[in-house]
Amino acid sequence: MTTARLPQRGTDDVPVDVPRVPAREAAERELSKPMYHENDPSLLERGLDRFLKWVGGLFDAASGATPGGLLGLLAIVVVVLALVGALWWRLGTPQRTPATGDSLFDGPRTAEEHRAAAARHAAAGRWNQALQERMRAIVRSLEERTLLDPRPGRTADEAAAEAARSLPSHSDELRAAARSFDDVTYGGRTADELAYRRIEELDTALERTRPTLDIAAAGALE
């Protein structure tokens, strides 16, 4: 075993040999005492310092590769953020495709009950809820007129496509109403009074429209 010679005066002034490993361990134990580490940075501070150094290194590397250095890099970041913001504002929250469980109705109510609920929401300026209830009134009314068969789990898109077969003159308006319903219900969009009035007018127009009976009958037999 390798040893370290430490001078130690005894009675005969003979140096004492101390093994290196125990000596190192003794030094480590001494240096591990709290009194030597009172001013050391905390674990969080050390981690934050390393993270900031890493981010700084990334910026240094990016600025060195970007025309104009750091100012050029910041200009690119600002432009990218502006483009992302513009796309978000234009497209809104990404729409979720309605799944099979995304039923149009949330309970067994009549068309008139849905219309009354829509009117209450509209009077309070709650255009999202007003639009949703008016779309439900349209579909429930078509079911009550036997132009659609009552079917649990039907979505607004499905109802519009099926209703367009017996009411072809309003097929475009029905599909547009279904899209508005999906945008508000699943896409995070916000309806306004104009969007609600369009569906209200469609509901009134459909009440006055006579269906194409041969197409309606064919659909009922399928």
Side-chain angles (χ1 to χ4, degrees):
M1 177 183 297
T2 304
T3 60
R5 297 179 62 84
L6 299 177
Q8 179 175 335
R9 291 188 177 277
T11 55
D12 299 325
D13 291 336
V14 177
V16 178
D17 290 340
V18 180
R20 287 187 177 180
V21 173
R24 185 176 67 249
E25 291 176 348
E28 290 175 351
R29 285 195 298 272
E30 177 66 22
L31 293 175
S32 66
K33 293 180 179 179
M35 60 183 294
Y36 296 107
H37 302 279
E38 291 178 354
N39 298 321
D40 288 354
S42 66
L43 180 62
L44 177 61
E45 291 173 335
R46 292 197 299 271
L48 181 60
D49 183 61
R50 290 183 181 180
F51 174 74
L52 292 176
K53 288 181 179 178
W54 176 73
V55 172
L58 289 181
F59 270 95
D60 290 341
S63 62
T66 304
L70 182 59
L71 290 178
L73 176 62
L74 292 176
I76 292 174
V77 170
V78 170
V79 171
V80 170
L81 290 177
L83 289 175
V84 171
L87 287 174
W88 190 273
W89 177 82
R90 177 66 180 85
L91 301 177
T93 305
Q95 294 188 17
R96 177 170 62 88
T97 301
T100 303
D102 292 328
S103 175
L104 176 64
F105 295 104
D106 54 5
R109 287 187 287 173
T110 66
E112 285 304 318
E113 288 174 333
H114 284 295
R115 290 187 182 107
R120 288 193 299 271
H121 287 305
R126 296 188 294 266
W127 302 116
N128 279 17
Q129 295 89 331
L131 185 148
Q132 291 170 321
E133 288 297 329
R134 201 72 190 202
M135 184 63 191
R136 292 180 179 123
I138 288 176
V139 177
R140 185 67 80 203
S141 175
L142 294 175
E143 291 177 351
E144 292 170 354
R145 296 168 63 189
T146 68
L147 299 180
L148 289 178
D149 60 305
R151 178 159 55 85
R154 175 186 277 121
T155 65
D157 290 324
E158 292 170 343
E162 294 170 20
R165 296 160 61 184
S166 56
L167 299 164
S169 61
H170 294 287
S171 59
D172 292 339
E173 293 92 333
L174 284 164
R175 292 188 179 92
R179 282 196 301 271
S180 296
F181 179 89
D182 289 343
D183 287 345
V184 167
T185 307
Y186 311 116
R189 298 291 186 88
T190 301
D192 54 16
E193 182 177 3
L194 180 60
Y196 169 71
R197 297 303 176 192
R198 289 196 194 100
I199 295 186
E200 182 184 45
E201 291 171 4
L202 175 61
D203 185 20
T204 302
L206 291 176
E207 285 289 292
R208 299 170 179 170
T209 301
R210 298 184 61 182
T212 304
L213 296 181
D214 55 340
I215 300 178
L221 292 175
E222 290 181 357

